[in-house]
Amino acid sequence: MSETECKSYSADESQRQLEEVELQTNMDRIGHKIMVLSGKGGVGKSTVAANLAMSLAKAGKKVGLLDVDLHGPSIQKILGLDGQRAGCQQNGKIMPIRLSCNFCVITLGLFLDSEKDAVIWRGPMKYNVIRQFLKDTQWGDLDYLVIDLPPGTGDEPLNVAQLIGAGTTAVVVTTPQEVAISDVRRSLSFCKSLKVKVLGIIENMSGFTCPHCGRHVDIFRSGGGERLAAEMAVPFLGKIPFDPQIVESGDCGKPFVEKFADSQAARAFAEIIKPIIDDKTENEK
Ligand code: ADP
């Protein structure tokens, strides 16, 4: 290696170490980092991530919500942030959007010119963006950072788990039927391989009570999530019923657990966060 190459190598190396320290310092200010995973799309993962984060904030915790579903960011829509932009400071730091004094959000959607813009990125590009969101966002001191991830076990969950490292935890969202449940096994085995602690499984769209006649219907069957949790020896956090008001609030950008705070589904979210807050989710990693 020539002298010039050697100098440039050591400059790169010290820059890399500096960035590593910055990432670590930012993450050390956050008590709990929770990835929200799902085996497949459409099971309500982003809805659960947004309402889980919101429920923790309603319980008085300081919460950040990071959407790294880079190819299909929907948190912006769900929380009514369309048209808003994230602030960037001169030193390159990112200012999250603050929805209340103890709840802030970052999603790629806040950087795109239009929600129709397609993000066409390969692995290294995604890694850099996720790293920047974790390292350069001014999260401040948080009790919880809830991270919404794309379905499956691809680059994004891997990057997040590796960048955050020890202390990363996960909640896995599924619907009750067998076809969704079999994909969850992959999410659980992903967590096991990366030593990510599974806080538990949430069964979403679990049963529907007709608002007119009061009859209960298990549209996607029931209990699959609970059975899988028992089989895989991970905690079962609870069931969220199918509720058309969740669709309504998601479409009009009004956070569900705030708008319909007295609904059965909002109460289910309030129950689900209890073991998370009490940290009664001990299980084998
Ligand atoms: P994913 O992130 O898994 O792709 P989303 O959170 O985007 O799924 O949800 C997909 C659709 O399902 C949205 O229209 C959302 O409003 C709806 N949805 C999610 N959970 C429920 C539920 N419990 N009851 C009714 N609709 C729901």
Side-chain angles (χ1 to χ4, degrees), residues 6-204:
C6 195
K7 272 190 188 149
S8 133
Y9 173 79
S10 59
D12 285 353
E13 184 54 23
S14 33
Q15 178 64 24
R16 199 192 61 74
Q17 283 174 6
L18 184 71
E19 289 184 3
E20 202 53 49
V21 171
E22 279 179 357
L23 170 66
Q24 204 53 54
T25 309
N26 222 20
M27 290 298 102
D28 284 351
R29 294 180 67 184
I30 302 172
H32 304 268
K33 295 99 176 170
I34 306 177
M35 304 199 290
V36 181
L37 303 172
S38 72
K40 57 163 62 226
V43 300
K45 172 192 46 61
S46 298
T47 304
V48 170
N51 285 289
L52 196 66
M54 203 86 197
S55 300
L56 286 165
K58 279 180 72 175
K61 303 294 174 190
K62 281 183 266 172
V63 183
L65 175 61
L66 171 61
D67 178 8
V68 286
D69 193 343
L70 301 177
H71 297 286
S74 53
I75 291 294
Q76 194 180 6
K77 174 102 193 139
I78 291 173
L79 294 179
L81 302 175
D82 277 345
Q84 295 212 36
R85 313 283 288 171
C88 280
Q89 293 181 333
Q90 274 179 343
N91 58 3
K93 295 290 172 193
I94 301 166
M95 297 305 292
I97 296 279
R98 204 156 269 292
L99 284 178
S100 67
C101 63
N102 62 337
F103 187 42
C104 59
V105 183
I106 274 293
T107 161
L108 184 67
L110 295 167
F111 297 85
L112 298 177
D113 287 332
S114 155
E115 65 173 303
K116 291 180 221 124
D117 286 354
V119 172
I120 307 163
W121 288 340
R122 287 186 191 280
M125 194 75 174
K126 292 194 237 180
Y127 177 85
N128 284 333
V129 169
I130 293 171
R131 186 180 159 85
Q132 214 179 340
F133 280 161
L134 292 170
K135 176 174 77 69
D136 293 334
T137 303
Q138 300 234 299
W139 296 110
D141 295 318
L142 293 180
D143 297 309
Y144 294 92
L145 179 65
V146 176
I147 306 161
D148 183 27
L149 287 149
T153 53
D155 286 335
E156 294 85 339
L158 181 64
N159 292 163
V160 169
Q162 288 177 336
L163 283 163
I164 297 178
T168 320
T169 62
V171 160
V172 184
V173 182
T174 184
T175 45
Q177 70 274 39
E178 278 306 317
V179 62
I181 293 291
S182 57
D183 290 309
V184 177
R185 287 196 177 87
R186 273 192 284 278
S187 300
L188 293 175
S189 96
F190 166 87
C191 291
K192 197 170 177 188
S193 313
L194 292 173
K195 297 202 171 5
V196 169
K197 177 182 168 181
V198 178
L199 298 179
I201 293 177
I202 296 176
E203 187 177 294
N204 188 32

Side-chain angles (χ1 to χ4, degrees), residues 41-47 204-205 240-243 246-247:
V43 300
K45 172 192 46 61
S46 298
T47 304
N204 188 32
M205 305 193 196
I240 297 160
F242 189 94
D243 184 343
I246 291 185
V247 183

